[in-house]
Amino acid sequence: MRRARALICLTLCLAGCATESDQRARDYTGDGVSSFQRGDHRGARESFQAALTLQPQDANLYYNIGECYARQGADAQAERSYNECLQRDPSHAACHFALAELWVRQSRQNDAARLADAWLASEPKRADPYALDGWLWRQKGDLPRAQGRLQQALELEP
């Protein structure tokens, strides 16, 4: 009986800690979003990194950190954060677009095309990979091919 009470008490304490930790992570994330919207990308990154210490598997936090680095012109760190995001969530659409845009800006169109091709192969029934591929074709100046890919995206998700 005493052991059962101790187990119940421990479970309630751990549940309370998890909730407190989750709330702190939400608070840090909220602060990060506010800082980002004000243009304080360094402050936003620090808040997202603090949240990440509490939720290390949260792909969105890696994406947000990457966005902060990208706004600060720290492309290598942005790329690293985007890759961490995609490791945790291979379907993260915003991250795919951000990484492709970063690579296009760096004249790494082949890397961006490989990213889009791999995403298309892994998720052929989703519109987002087709939209990304269409955007890449537009960047290359092939408007008919871009339009075709974007049309495919619309057919999947009108």
Side-chain angles (χ1 to χ4, degrees):
M1 184 68 128
R2 200 167 143 185
R3 203 177 270 164
R5 282 189 202 137
L7 183 60
I8 290 170
C9 196
L10 179 63
T11 302
L12 290 173
C13 287
L14 290 176
C17 292
T19 302
E20 182 181 324
S21 176
D22 290 345
Q23 183 57 50
R24 283 192 305 146
R26 282 192 293 276
D27 290 345
Y28 283 130
T29 301
D31 289 343
V33 169
S34 294
S35 295
F36 190 89
Q37 290 172 338
R38 287 192 315 272
D40 178 10
H41 300 118
R42 181 173 168 249
R45 181 176 43 83
E46 290 171 357
S47 293
F48 293 136
Q49 286 171 327
L52 190 62
T53 63
L54 299 169
Q55 296 181 328
Q57 294 305 314
D58 189 328
N60 289 318
L61 291 171
Y62 284 100
Y63 168 73
N64 291 343
I65 291 167
E67 287 291 278
C68 292
Y69 278 128
R71 296 302 190 289
Q72 293 177 291
D75 289 350
Q77 292 92 333
E79 182 175 345
R80 196 168 26 257
S81 293
Y82 292 148
N83 283 321
E84 289 285 340
C85 171
L86 292 175
Q87 271 189 319
R88 284 158 181 78
D89 181 2
S91 297
H92 200 288
C95 191
H96 277 93
F97 281 89
L99 185 55
E101 191 226 350
L102 175 73
W103 285 341
V104 166
R105 207 168 6 99
Q106 295 175 334
S107 298
R108 295 170 56 191
Q109 285 82 358
N110 290 339
D111 290 333
R114 278 192 293 277
L115 177 71
D117 290 344
W119 196 20
L120 276 165
S122 69
E123 298 192 70
K125 295 188 187 288
R126 257 187 92 188
D128 292 326
Y130 291 95
L132 175 60
D133 198 47
W135 179 80
L136 289 170
W137 284 112
R138 183 180 181 278
Q139 298 305 305
K140 291 178 184 178
D142 189 338
L143 297 182
R145 193 148 183 196
Q147 183 178 7
R149 280 302 200 197
L150 295 173
Q151 188 62 44
Q152 285 177 292
L154 283 172
E155 288 170 7
L156 288 168
E157 291 181 30

